[in-house]
Amino acid sequence: MPANLKRSTGEAATASLVDVPRVPGAPKPDPIVKGDNITRTFGGLKAVDVQHIEIQRGVITALIGPNGAGKTTLFNLLTGFDVPDTGAWSFNDKSLAKVAAFKVARAGMVRTFQLTKVLAKLTVIENMRLGATGQRGEKIWSAPFKSLWGSQEDEITARADELLERFKLDAKREDFAGSLSGGQRKLLEMARSLMVDPELIMLDEPMAGVNPALKQSLLGHVKSLRDEGRTVLFVEHDMDMVREISDWVIVMAQGQIVAEGTPESVMADPAVIDAYLGAHHDTDLTELDPAELEAQAEAELDAEAAAEEAKE
Amino acid sequence: MDFGNIIDAALSQALGPQAIVFALAAIGLNIHFGYTGLLNFGQSGFMAIAGFGLAVSVVRFDLPFFVGVLIALVTPVLLALVLGVPTLRLRADYLAIVTIASSEILRLILGAVEFKDVFGGSNGLTGFVRPFQDLNPYSGPLDLGIVSWSRSDLWSLTVGWILVALGCLLVWALMRSPWGRILRSIREDEDAVRSLGKNVFSYKLQALILGGVFGGLAGLFHVLKQGSAVPTDFNTTFTFYAYAALLVGGAARVLGPVVGSIIFWFLVAGLGELFDQLTDGSGVNLPTWLMTDTQASLVRFIVLGLGLMLLMIFRPQGIFGDRREIAIDAR
Ligand SMILES: Nc1ncnc2c1ncn2[C@@H]1O[C@H](COP(=O)(O)OP(=O)(O)O)[C@@H](O)[C@H]1O
Ligand SMILES: [Mg+2]
């Protein structure tokens, strides 16, 4: 873990945000990410149009908003997987605009994908090992000689095994990642991104498709990331989850940030209810039973997967 | 029918110099396609540039033979850079188009009358392999009863199979390493690899260069065992036969390309001899409405193609491939 990660707690995180105004683009006392005027258009559609965004260090920030609000696109832009039309942003005060995705990850800002990207034809443990940075055996000149990287590989494997145990994937260690269930893939992807040892971890719908039993433990994992000093930014549809674990919520709609605040304040905001709940205007999301929410999330995920496939 | 002749023809090709050329080229394609998922359809271009790299250095510039060999191994690196740098950031199909086009361009330039002074036109270049033959330690031909090789073939075989063995050793050592893990991951999902902080472009370029150098070795060996560099030897069918050999043996397996090349040449030569005997007018013969003697040498490729199709349907991972790697859907 980087030396500059300080252990933190839920209370400390909440305390650090009490004085932050509950307005879109609110400045934070200790931002790890700062962005300005970030826009991205697809054809005529303005998918992202963010005036100002700051992510507080050491807290769990939820990014919510209806489907198509631009959350994934914003993730893609911030992590170098897509190029913006305009905009500048910094991570730890280092400008990361137009920086290649792999350099963003190396800088300590690691993301997962809405449609999981586990390497199906590698085993679970190999997926994990791949995540470790600074591997001597990744250099072509030293790769043929195991004596040069074998001991480091053992250290990496030990670290990977610890994480697998923590994420309850140790029984699957030698299985091909392609044989995992959707929820297990989400877990593996999260665990693998931790192998990079990121300061900021960005999770795109980590709970989508995860069965309710696994969800509770996933929530615990996300909290533990904050408690060990990492900053978490995650996209989620399930309002119960957002309420339960996030310290701060940013709401997007039609590419813009329309509201910010604590989970309680945001969910009481009429503008949010309007933008986010949209079609479910007269249902209180929190009163839907979990199975129904699940089905809803699945349906949305499937629709996006289909759209993604159609694009390819 | 003379089965002895058929086996002789099949074995002497399967273990002979031609199989070595294919094995080396297919080892390169295995690094490209099998491990990294790069579609190089111009392996013959890498062969040509290396083969002529040696020939031109020695014949036209009077450089020492071993300097020529060195140049022959550097030229594929340059070709890989020229082809890879502009295309490896783009979608996979760009590399495929650029490699196939460049290999044809190279072949046409090498055979062009306009450049006869440099490359020797369609006859190519000869007279540069003397130092290689002078190193031949054998005193006579080898006759194993069922197969036999001339003294110079024997020398080529020794050098060639040693090269193949060393190549396999290198590929084995590389692919069990973290470097190889990155290549196999890139084959599956580049973005996942990027998201973990790996410079995907650089690794793809390294793979293209390394596989290209194996293509170069194949070309170098080809001109050495043949004693001449001839442009038409390096046409695109070569690349596709090498792919066929790779797929038969099994992609992403260390020995896949070698076993594939041996089997490929065993079948090409064995079937060729078999059909020859069945159409030569003596002994057992096929009716001429089915096959004439002029068709015989072509029919074997039809049969081979059919066999390849069946293999892809019933054993898509090739002979050595890992069923699990194929059977699991990525989604
Ligand atoms: N590559 C793309 N090409 C065209 N349109 C896109 C592309 N990616 C996203 N979009 C569009 O941009 C909008 C925002 O999408 P996205 O960021 O995926 O939303 P969210 O993650 O909030 O559901 C949607 O209308 C979507 O259709
Ligand atoms: Mg999304």
Side-chain angles (χ1 to χ4, degrees):
Chain A
M1 193 171 306
N4 53 349
L5 289 189
K6 289 192 301 270
R7 291 193 70 85
S8 152
T9 61
E11 292 87 68
T14 315
S16 74
L17 291 162
V18 280
D19 292 331
V20 177
R22 278 112 209 240
V23 294
K28 311 285 181 326
D30 183 14
I32 190 168
V33 171
K34 271 202 270 190
D36 281 295
N37 192 27
I38 305 171
T39 61
R40 174 72 165 108
T41 47
F42 293 111
L45 175 81
K46 225 169 198 181
V48 167
D49 184 7
V50 169
Q51 287 303 313
H52 187 77
I53 184 169
E54 292 190 13
I55 310 290
Q56 170 73 357
R57 186 189 311 276
V59 310
I60 301 176
T61 304
L63 184 61
I64 67 172
N67 260 323
K71 306 178 297 290
T72 298
T73 308
L74 182 61
F75 263 40
N76 289 344
L77 294 173
L78 291 178
T79 51
F81 280 87
D82 194 1
V83 186
D85 302 332
T86 67
W89 61 92
S90 64
F91 173 72
N92 277 334
D93 293 323
K94 203 173 106 193
S95 170
L96 283 188
K98 303 218 167 79
V99 169
F102 79 93
K103 288 185 186 157
V104 173
R106 280 188 196 171
M109 185 168 164
V110 174
R111 59 90 56 94
T112 65
F113 296 87
Q114 182 170 354
L115 299 168
T116 45
K117 289 188 181 292
V118 299
L119 301 158
K121 290 168 187 177
L122 263 56
T123 60
V124 167
I125 186 73
E126 281 281 89
N127 264 274
M128 293 294 288
R129 289 187 186 117
L130 177 71
T133 47
Q135 299 188 40
R136 287 193 287 275
E138 289 180 352
K139 301 233 167 12
I140 190 168
W141 302 114
S142 43
F145 312 105
K146 194 171 180 184
S147 54
L148 296 180
W149 49 263
S151 63
Q152 192 191 26
E153 181 91 341
D154 292 343
E155 289 160 23
I156 289 168
T157 306
R159 203 151 62 80
D161 278 327
E162 263 171 46
L163 279 168
L164 286 181
E165 208 171 311
R166 182 169 147 199
F167 282 80
K168 307 257 177 342
L169 286 170
D170 42 335
K172 301 277 176 188
R173 191 180 192 271
E174 302 300 335
D175 292 359
F176 282 98
S179 70
L180 300 182
S181 72
Q184 288 169 329
R185 289 180 192 210
K186 286 275 178 195
L187 281 174
L188 175 58
E189 209 187 351
M190 196 188 298
R192 188 180 65 189
S193 66
L194 288 177
M195 288 297 290
V196 186
D197 200 6
E199 264 185 82
L200 168 64
I201 180 164
M202 300 170 56
L203 308 167
D204 199 347
E205 304 204 8
M207 322 278 178
V210 177
N211 75 49
L214 263 179
K215 252 180 197 169
Q216 236 0 287
S217 77
L218 237 157
L219 285 181
H221 292 314
V222 175
K223 274 191 202 161
S224 72
L225 295 180
R226 174 197 59 204
D227 296 346
E228 66 189 31
R230 298 180 208 277
T231 307
V232 181
L233 176 66
F234 77 111
V235 172
E236 189 46 61
H237 280 297
D238 189 328
M239 299 309 266
D240 279 335
M241 303 291 158
V242 171
R243 198 194 306 273
E244 197 172 331
I245 62 166
S246 55
D247 305 305
W248 193 258
V249 180
I250 297 177
V251 187
M252 282 182 79
Q254 291 165 358
Q256 302 182 326
I257 297 181
V258 294
E260 269 194 51
T262 59
E264 296 74 27
S265 69
V266 155
M267 278 169 211
D269 187 335
V272 174
I273 297 172
D274 210 39
Y276 185 67
L277 302 180
H280 321 285
H281 221 359
D282 24 45
T283 19
D284 182 357
L285 258 192
T286 59
E287 278 168 13
L288 287 177
D289 80 295
E292 212 168 311
L293 278 172
E294 181 76 13
Q296 195 178 311
E298 288 270 358
E300 279 167 1
L301 193 67
D302 286 350
E304 292 194 33
E308 188 96 352
E309 243 155 50
K311 228 167 42 198
E312 284 164 10
Chain B
M1 209 176 335
D2 187 346
F3 281 107
N5 271 349
I6 294 174
I7 296 296
D8 179 10
L11 272 184
S12 56
Q13 283 296 313
L15 302 175
Q18 196 61 14
I20 294 172
V21 177
F22 270 70
L24 289 170
I27 288 173
L29 290 178
N30 199 23
I31 296 169
H32 289 155
F33 173 73
Y35 290 104
T36 323
L38 299 177
L39 283 173
N40 168 18
F41 285 145
Q43 191 70 325
S44 59
F46 287 94
M47 296 174 63
I49 205 169
F52 274 87
L54 171 68
V56 171
S57 305
V58 175
V59 177
R60 299 295 187 217
F61 294 98
D62 280 330
L63 292 172
F65 177 77
F66 288 100
V67 176
V69 169
L70 212 65
I71 289 172
L73 292 179
V74 172
T75 48
V77 176
L78 300 179
L79 182 62
L81 288 171
V82 168
L83 300 181
V85 169
T87 59
L88 288 177
R89 288 181 213 273
L90 308 173
R91 256 188 3 231
D93 31 0
Y94 285 86
L95 181 70
I97 295 164
V98 165
T99 45
I100 197 169
S102 69
S103 71
E104 281 299 275
I105 292 169
L106 272 173
R107 184 175 62 84
L108 293 171
I109 288 178
L110 293 173
V113 248
E114 290 83 354
F115 300 115
K116 204 169 190 317
D117 296 344
V118 191
F119 304 121
S122 57
N123 292 330
L125 295 170
T126 51
F128 53 88
V129 294
R130 197 55 199 267
F132 176 70
Q133 285 159 351
D134 285 348
L135 287 173
N136 190 345
Y138 297 108
S139 49
L142 178 72
D143 194 343
L144 293 175
I146 188 145
V147 274
S148 61
W149 283 291
S150 70
R151 175 174 173 268
S152 72
D153 270 357
L154 208 52
W155 174 227
S156 298
L157 289 183
T158 310
V159 173
W161 285 118
I162 288 175
L163 279 178
V164 170
L166 291 177
C168 288
L169 190 67
L170 179 66
V171 170
W172 169 78
L174 279 172
M175 293 311 163
R176 67 168 184 167
S177 77
W179 186 84
R181 181 162 60 218
I182 292 183
L183 296 199
R184 281 181 282 127
S185 306
I186 289 174
R187 180 185 66 186
E188 265 196 74
D189 194 328
E190 286 182 19
D191 280 344
V193 182
R194 271 192 197 102
S195 76
L196 298 169
K198 321 288 180 197
N199 186 348
V200 168
F201 171 76
S202 161
Y203 285 98
K204 289 206 283 190
L205 196 57
Q206 290 170 37
L208 187 68
I209 290 172
L210 184 64
V213 168
F214 273 102
L217 266 180
L220 185 62
F221 181 76
H222 177 79
V223 299
L224 285 178
K225 64 114 172 145
Q226 189 169 265
S228 61
V230 183
T232 46
D233 285 355
F234 303 112
N235 58 33
T236 26
T237 40
F238 185 97
T239 304
F240 292 111
Y241 287 167
Y243 263 107
L246 174 62
L247 295 176
V248 166
R253 294 281 130 184
V254 172
L255 294 178
V258 181
V259 175
S261 299
I262 291 174
I263 293 173
F264 184 84
W265 279 102
F266 186 90
L267 292 175
V268 169
L271 288 175
E273 179 67 24
L274 174 69
F275 292 147
D276 265 353
Q277 291 191 13
L278 287 174
T279 53
D280 64 358
S282 68
V284 189
N285 264 271
L286 291 173
T288 48
W289 57 261
L290 188 61
M291 201 194 304
T292 66
D293 53 351
T294 48
Q295 290 165 343
S297 70
L298 296 174
V299 171
R300 60 183 169 164
F301 285 107
I302 297 174
V303 173
L304 264 176
L306 202 64
L308 202 61
M309 278 162 67
L310 291 174
L311 184 78
M312 288 301 104
I313 292 167
F314 293 109
R315 200 176 161 80
Q317 72 273 39
I319 288 166
F320 272 132
D322 187 332
R323 180 103 226 174
R324 291 173 306 173
E325 281 201 16
I326 298 291
I328 293 165
D329 191 344
R331 286 193 191 261

